[in-house]
Amino acid sequence: MPDIPPRHTIAFLHSQFPLGGAEVVTLRLSEYLKKNGYEVIVYTPDLNSAKLESHEYMPETAIMPDSSSCDTENNIAYLAQQIKDRRIDLLIIVWNTFLKFRNLRDNCPECRFMYIDHMQPFCESIAKDERLKRRRTTPKGFLKWIAFDWIKFGMLGTHYSKWRKRTRILHDNTDAFVVLTPEYRREMIEALRISDPHIHIIGNGVPLPTEVNTNKSKSVLWAGRLTYPDKRVDRLLRIWKRVEESCPEWNLTIAGDGEERQNLERQATELGLKHITFAGYQSDMPRLYSEAAILCLTSTVDSWGLCLAEAQANGVVPIAFDCSAGVRHILSDDSGILIKPFDEKAYAEALIALIDDETRRKELQQNAIRKSLDYNPEKIHRQWLDLFRSLLSGK
């Protein structure tokens, strides 16, 4: 029997759908909500139908009129009319630059608004720093830094203040703001000096396989979007150069696609890497998790690392730089290996040691499988239902 009568309609707003981990979370939550009596709609200006078809569950989707951005005047007007026509009770925003929703809220007082932050607080400013560092490696970029950027970003830190301002607007103009860990909640409250926060903590759920293959092949896996400022797969290629020399029987698979793929393939060729495969976007990730023994993450920014939790659930030992509270949370309880940011030599040595020590791998594998029980979708989704109840109880 549904927990809440099906008269309640919940809508998600994504700038692109699907794209990465945040969209996977929406897909899984949408399916659960549908089973529990909710009507669910996903709004986006940029729908990737082909990628969506690879998922077992497909929610109702609606493409917004303007494909350029969520917050154009046409799209705001469209959403306002949709809220009224579809009687949407709750709009969940999963896009942190959508600030014009304040106008939307003024025109739709009957609707509740929620923001889900799938990232670590203010990580956009860290990504901006990474882009600026990379730009300075070219003569033109270095001159631009000297002439302009170092004042705006280096001295004044305008990118930091911008994202803090945006986050404060999102908090103050929504009925609920959801983050992934207690540490992120504390960081937000302290940085923004919020006296009356409505910040809720809900982690990500991960489907648990009915059977876990513990007899792995000699393979290492990386999974995600191939982007530079946050994921930094270039680090893994340099690390793998060291690993290949010591462990020639092992292979690395890069599963994912994105704007950085050509650069990474070129770098792999320049490094002379032989035991590496760029597999592109994969719709059958369970197969790769079933085969891989180790999963690597070399991100500068990774709020939670959905791939880390998915790896644990499938008996894959994760190793990552200690780049966030979310990553630390997942790899706690000796269920993975954390490396000091961003020591590539230490990372390579730890990876080689893990490859060479099968007993240690088996121990970490069992710890990882036990840890994955914390991400049981039923447990996580019940937290969402409780939050929705509290927001919609007066409607």
Side-chain angles (χ1 to χ4, degrees), residues 159-227:
H159 53 314
Y160 288 97
S161 59
K162 178 181 78 172
W163 288 109
R164 278 161 175 74
K165 181 180 178 181
R166 287 176 184 266
T167 305
R168 185 61 194 248
I169 291 172
L170 286 164
H171 173 272
D172 291 352
N173 290 275
T174 50
D175 300 288
F177 193 110
V178 180
V179 296
L180 291 164
T181 72
E183 294 85 353
Y184 293 161
R185 185 179 190 273
R186 284 197 297 271
E187 185 176 346
M188 270 192 60
I189 292 172
E190 292 172 3
L192 303 180
R193 300 178 182 179
I194 301 173
S195 59
D196 185 25
H198 48 262
I199 305 173
H200 305 264
I201 304 162
I202 303 180
N204 290 325
V206 173
L208 305 180
T210 55
E211 185 177 355
V212 178
N213 175 31
T214 56
N215 296 315
K216 303 292 190 175
S217 62
K218 294 181 178 182
S219 62
V220 175
L221 177 65
W222 184 94
R225 295 190 313 277
L226 299 180
T227 52

Side-chain angles (χ1 to χ4, degrees), residues 119-132:
M119 304 297 290
Q120 66 189 84
F122 323 119
C123 66
E124 298 88 354
S125 56
I126 302 173
K128 180 68 174 181
D129 281 339
E130 288 294 298
R131 283 191 289 268
L132 290 171

Side-chain angles (χ1 to χ4, degrees), residues 121-291:
F122 323 119
C123 66
E124 298 88 354
S125 56
I126 302 173
K128 180 68 174 181
D129 281 339
E130 288 294 298
R131 283 191 289 268
L132 290 171
K133 288 176 184 176
R134 189 185 208 187
R135 183 188 298 170
R136 294 202 297 272
T137 61
T138 66
K140 183 178 178 180
F142 182 76
L143 290 175
K144 187 175 185 296
W145 169 260
I146 294 296
F148 174 71
D149 286 344
W150 76 274
I151 297 176
K152 184 177 180 181
F153 300 112
M155 291 182 61
L156 301 179
T158 55
H159 53 314
Y160 288 97
S161 59
K162 178 181 78 172
W163 288 109
R164 278 161 175 74
K165 181 180 178 181
R166 287 176 184 266
T167 305
R168 185 61 194 248
I169 291 172
L170 286 164
H171 173 272
D172 291 352
N173 290 275
T174 50
D175 300 288
F177 193 110
V178 180
V179 296
L180 291 164
T181 72
E183 294 85 353
Y184 293 161
R185 185 179 190 273
R186 284 197 297 271
E187 185 176 346
M188 270 192 60
I189 292 172
E190 292 172 3
L192 303 180
R193 300 178 182 179
I194 301 173
S195 59
D196 185 25
H198 48 262
I199 305 173
H200 305 264
I201 304 162
I202 303 180
N204 290 325
V206 173
L208 305 180
T210 55
E211 185 177 355
V212 178
N213 175 31
T214 56
N215 296 315
K216 303 292 190 175
S217 62
K218 294 181 178 182
S219 62
V220 175
L221 177 65
W222 184 94
R225 295 190 313 277
L226 299 180
T227 52
Y228 178 82
D230 48 355
K231 300 302 183 182
R232 292 303 303 273
V233 186
D234 59 300
R235 290 180 178 137
L236 181 55
L237 299 187
R238 292 190 293 271
I239 290 167
W240 190 249
K241 175 67 174 177
R242 297 172 182 262
V243 175
E244 266 197 355
E245 296 169 355
S246 299
C247 313
E249 296 180 351
W250 282 68
N251 295 282
L252 170 63
T253 297
I254 306 292
D257 215 336
E259 62 196 42
E260 195 66 11
R261 180 169 177 173
Q262 288 187 345
N263 287 336
L264 293 169
E265 289 179 338
R266 182 172 61 252
Q267 183 179 353
T269 300
E270 292 171 353
L271 288 169
L273 300 182
K274 299 173 183 174
H275 305 289
I276 183 171
T277 301
F278 286 87
Y281 173 76
Q282 295 290 307
S283 59
D284 188 13
M285 283 304 299
R287 177 184 62 81
L288 293 180
Y289 284 131
S290 178
E291 296 171 356

Side-chain angles (χ1 to χ4, degrees), residues 84-101:
K84 294 171 183 176
D85 293 346
R86 300 293 299 266
R87 297 184 178 180
I88 295 171
D89 299 286
L90 174 64
L91 178 65
I92 300 176
I93 301 162
V94 198
W95 187 47
N96 56 9
T97 58
F98 183 58
L99 302 183
K100 292 184 180 178
F101 79 93

